[in-house]
Amino acid sequence: MEAQKYQIVKIIGIIGEHKNTAEFIIELSNGCFISGGSDNIIKIYDKDFELLKEIKDIKEPIYSCIEKIILFKEYKNSYAIELLACGNIKLYQIFLSFKDKANIKIKYKNYEFPNISLKTCVQMRENNYAIIGENSIYVKDFLDSQNIHINISTFKELKGKTYLNSIRINRNYIAITSNKIQDYGEDKLIFYNIEKNKISREIEGYSFISRANGLALIPSIETKSKNKIILCACKKYFDVQKNGIYLANPQLEDKQGINDTFYDTGNCGVFCFCPILIINSDNDILEKGKEQKIEDTEYFFVGGFNIDRKEGEIKLFKVLYSDKAKDNKIEFVQNIEFERNKNFTGFEGAVNCIIQTKIENNGYILVTCYSGKVYLLTQPNLDYYLKTKNKEIKI
């Protein structure tokens, strides 16, 4: 199924449903998927988006999850996946074995940290992780293969504060956000130098969303570019706050912010982002064992909640890159409209996570919603906008 000529994306169906909210979905390095939610269940899907297994014996909601990246190729095993999942109280180290599709083996350990409520985890290096939440901490040489020791170092300048969103900029820097709606929270975006254990830059006064998935780097961290943007989701919790998208400059050596820093989205509270990629779907190339060709675009999806219509929505935006990062801007392109029928009457609750598949699925879109549903969408169709851009260049 594909989107029609002038249709950006189309809903294929629902691949999973959590009893309460669905908090996230991620793609694993073997092409499978993981979704989690406030129903204390982690769902595992295969490469064809079919439900394979459920992990039901975790006793708390899971707010975010990452796959541990093994940097040394000789230790990689395509059948074995290691996850780190953040609950309220515990961090779960989950081991999945996919040797037998009909019988996935699951093992896990859990770790409880004193005086911290977990929300997100970011892998900085091979065994270095930033654990973000209430009383943010930094964990070094954590969860090694022998599980011999855990050395914990505190973010000394953030102790006693609550931070919820996090994104890795490079091996030394992390960006994290807070909101004053949380206990010990502040309306702040902070760039933290892990190596020096100190704040490098601090931005105040914006209502950064108090959930995971509210930060995105565009182009992606894998793209070698010195002109990147961090997209920050903002949601109005108090009358003095605004819904919108804050733009941050992750090129810290520039020592400059972005001129037009905030895009007001009015009645739409922003929850998540998904940079849109062009992914080669030539089966002949894939069968020959060559890697897929993945290209960045200037476009990205924004997921959120329309407070007037009282339903979730997806918008299409574009980055307007300049020669200097400080002059970068974004612009609204269009709302994404979906056909309403008996199978889809709208997103029942905020759209809080959007990803684009990369490994073997040629760019399909996956969406989670506060209703608990996990939606599968077609590959994005940007032909109209990309052709228009090419014509402008020729002229």
Side-chain angles (χ1 to χ4, degrees), residues 223-240:
T223 301
K224 294 181 179 180
S225 170
K226 292 184 178 181
N227 193 352
K228 295 178 182 285
I229 294 178
I230 295 181
L231 305 170
C232 308
C234 296
K235 182 178 180 299
K236 181 178 180 179
Y237 296 99
F238 302 106
D239 288 341
V240 296

Side-chain angles (χ1 to χ4, degrees), residues 277 279 292 356-358 361-365 377-380:
L277 306 171
I279 299 178
Q292 290 176 309
Q356 185 175 14
T357 65
K358 298 178 184 177
N361 293 286
N362 301 328
Y364 286 95
I365 299 295
L377 281 60
T378 58
Q379 304 96 324

Side-chain angles (χ1 to χ4, degrees), residues 88-91 111-118 131 133-137 139 150 152 154 159-160:
N88 263 327
I89 300 172
K90 297 178 180 179
L91 183 70
Y111 303 87
E112 187 170 345
F113 299 98
N115 305 316
I116 183 171
S117 177
L118 307 177
I131 311 295
E134 187 176 317
N135 277 327
S136 300
I137 63 172
V139 183
I150 302 175
I152 300 176
T154 304
K159 190 173 182 180

